[in-house]
Amino acid sequence: MDGFVVPNNSASLAFDNIDLSYGRWDNQQLYRIKDFALLGEQYADLADGSLVCLATQTSVERLNSLPQVAANWQGKMSVALFAAGPEEFVVLQYFVTYMRLCFANIRENATFHLLTPRDFDKLPRMAALPPNMKGKFDCQYPDRTLKALLKFRSLKTLQWRQRNTYPQNHMRNLARKGCQTKYVFLTDIDIVPSTNSVPQLNHFFRTANCSKSCAYVIPTFEIDVRATFPRSKNALVRLIRKGLARPFHEKVFIYNQYATNFSKWLSPNSNETEVSVSHIVTNFEFLYEPFYIAVDNAPAHDERFLGYGFTRNSQVYEMHIAGYQFYVLSPVFTGHWGLQRKQARPAWREQQNNANRRKFDVFKSEIFVRYKNDPRLLLKAKKNQILVK
């Protein structure tokens, strides 16, 4: 199927039956939420046979990553979508319709949830898309299709987006709770799972026996855009040797993934045919934020953190304080396109990071009290023991 034309009947567009003037509030009454705004055709049927659901979230600009994620993840997906206003909601309607018509796995297995700002109705509305848009809906080119749709956002909407923060943790909580499976694999939309990982992980978790709170880390790698996505761990290793892949954030912020211990994961083992635990994370670092699978009773992401900075790692840090053990799985992995380089961040992003850093000081004190586990006191006790000896 090279392309499609959206029919003119009222039921043709995704979310056409959704009234965004109401919905449940978040705790701070900043956003309205629509859980299960659009169900995958086989989503309910998958609940019985699937132990792991992929939960992911995105703004409208990055939704073009979902077709590749879905191509590799042939299983249940819970996708949280953020629409900054009526114009972006129309873009979502057309692009989600496009994906459901073009990609069977999205139509059957992906369920979508919506989150909108409380002043949604005050933002500009988009006029009807012009007739020549029909030729832009080509199933072979999701990137091109979304790019064409995004051009219809007004300057006022774009300016609103620059002034306001993206509610990452709200979105993660929304996607996660939409899974309704025992295990949740929580990712960002541009994190692509390795091929065939759904049956491999289902097989592993049928016999997984964890005696305490456990999280299973899926190692993440950056992949050069000139390369083809590796279809196996051995293929990934070959890309790394050629300089076409490397551990995620290795150059821009190594502590982001350092505790995963990629060297140990990459140790030669050509006989890996089933998922198993490669090793245990023993050198937990502050600001560690792996992508992981866990039973859906892990601490929620704190929704006070808005925008960039301390959003994912604060939740992982709480898991650490709560006593979770992190196990690194192999041979499954995830990939992120592009070898990242250090570059100057925009001023607004650094402002968000600084604001969240101040919030983190309060958050950290709260979780120390909640779990009666302050690493600073533990470290002091160890030093005193050494002095006594």
Side-chain angles (χ1 to χ4, degrees):
M1 184 178 181
D2 294 329
F4 73 88
V5 176
V6 177
N8 292 321
N9 61 68
S10 60
S12 61
L13 283 178
F15 314 119
D16 240 14
N17 61 337
I18 298 295
D19 183 352
L20 294 177
S21 63
Y22 70 93
R24 69 177 177 92
W25 287 112
D26 71 300
N27 292 334
Q28 302 172 69
Q29 295 193 5
L30 298 175
Y31 304 97
R32 286 192 180 97
I33 300 168
K34 288 285 189 180
D35 304 272
F36 301 99
L38 182 59
L39 281 173
E41 293 176 357
Q42 298 181 11
Y43 197 73
D45 297 335
L46 286 170
D48 296 331
S50 182
L51 291 172
V52 186
C53 165
L54 186 144
T56 192
Q57 49 80 30
T58 183
S59 60
V60 63
E61 293 96 342
R62 297 190 178 185
L63 191 51
N64 55 307
S65 296
L66 186 59
Q68 184 172 16
V69 170
N72 285 11
W73 185 268
Q74 296 287 319
K76 197 170 184 179
M77 293 170 285
S78 174
V79 186
L81 304 175
F82 179 65
E87 291 182 340
E88 291 199 350
F89 180 63
V90 172
V91 173
L92 285 177
Q93 284 189 285
Y94 274 88
F95 194 69
V96 170
T97 302
Y98 158 82
M99 290 191 298
R100 283 169 57 87
L101 287 171
C102 288
F103 307 103
N105 194 35
I106 293 177
R107 179 175 65 253
E108 295 168 358
N109 297 336
T111 281
F112 297 92
H113 320 276
L114 295 171
L115 187 140
T116 57
R118 65 176 300 155
D119 56 354
F120 178 89
D121 293 332
K122 299 177 183 178
L123 290 162
R125 296 185 176 275
M126 183 184 292
L129 297 182
N132 64 2
M133 275 302 297
K134 294 176 181 179
K136 305 291 186 182
F137 297 143
D138 191 323
C139 291
Q140 297 183 42
Y141 302 105
D143 295 356
R144 185 185 302 174
T145 299
L146 182 60
K147 186 177 180 180
L149 286 168
L150 289 172
K151 289 180 180 178
F152 291 95
R153 291 182 300 176
S154 67
L155 179 61
K156 187 174 182 180
T157 292
L158 294 175
Q159 290 174 337
W160 185 96
R161 290 298 299 275
Q162 291 176 353
R163 293 195 307 270
N164 289 268
T165 51
Y166 176 65
Q168 297 191 44
N169 281 357
H170 287 76
M171 303 291 285
R172 292 185 175 111
N173 289 335
L174 178 57
R176 170 181 149 183
K177 288 306 176 185
C179 271
Q180 300 188 341
T181 51
K182 180 176 181 180
Y183 294 95
V184 173
F185 182 14
L186 191 61
T187 70
D188 292 338
I189 194 67
D190 50 5
I191 300 299
V192 182
S194 53
T195 58
N196 203 40
S197 52
V198 171
Q200 290 179 312
L201 289 168
N202 274 326
H203 179 72
F204 171 79
F205 283 112
R206 285 190 190 101
T207 58
N209 184 18
C210 179
S211 60
K212 55 192 295 185
S213 297
C214 302
Y216 298 89
V217 174
I218 311 297
T220 305
F221 295 84
E222 300 172 2
I223 302 170
D224 195 300
V225 294
R226 297 170 295 175
T228 301
F229 193 91
R231 297 188 62 82
S232 67
K233 180 176 178 178
N234 286 338
L236 172 64
V237 171
R238 288 194 292 270
L239 287 181
I240 293 172
R241 289 171 180 167
K242 294 177 182 178
L244 295 174
R246 65 188 179 205
F248 191 49
H249 282 331
E250 184 179 62
K251 299 297 182 183
V252 297
F253 188 61
I254 192 169
Y255 294 110
N256 180 276
Q257 303 287 318
Y258 186 73
T260 295
N261 195 341
F262 289 95
S263 297
K264 201 162 189 175
W265 190 85
L266 291 167
S267 298
N269 186 357
S270 59
N271 297 320
E272 291 179 281
T273 58
E274 296 182 350
V275 173
S276 62
V277 173
S278 167
H279 57 278
I280 301 174
V281 172
T282 58
N283 57 333
F284 187 96
E285 295 275 355
F286 177 57
L287 300 180
Y288 183 44
E289 50 180 32
F291 295 102
Y292 64 84
I293 297 172
V295 174
D296 189 27
N297 58 8
H301 287 70
D302 195 296
E303 295 177 358
R304 288 173 293 184
F305 296 102
L306 295 169
Y308 287 91
F310 299 90
T311 53
R312 271 200 306 123
N313 60 53
S314 59
Q315 190 268 346
V316 174
Y317 189 64
E318 180 173 353
M319 292 175 73
H320 173 61
I321 299 301
Y324 274 75
Q325 181 68 67
F326 293 84
Y327 297 88
V328 182
L329 295 185
S330 180
V332 287
F333 61 90
T334 57
H336 181 280
W337 285 111
L339 300 180
Q340 300 182 51
R341 311 286 181 187
K342 284 188 176 180
Q343 55 186 7
R345 290 180 174 178
W348 59 264
R349 180 162 175 168
E350 195 57 35
Q351 290 168 0
Q352 292 177 11
N353 192 65
N354 290 335
N356 281 338
R357 183 180 290 109
R358 291 190 291 270
K359 293 176 184 177
F360 183 77
D361 290 336
V362 176
F363 169 81
K364 185 168 58 174
S365 298
E366 290 175 357
I367 65 171
F368 290 168
V369 172
R370 185 180 309 152
Y371 298 104
K372 299 180 175 60
N373 183 9
D374 187 338
R376 296 171 299 187
L377 297 178
L378 294 174
L379 182 61
K380 184 177 180 180
K382 288 181 180 179
K383 288 181 178 179
N384 289 336
Q385 289 175 1
I386 293 173
L387 291 174
V388 169
K389 291 178 180 179

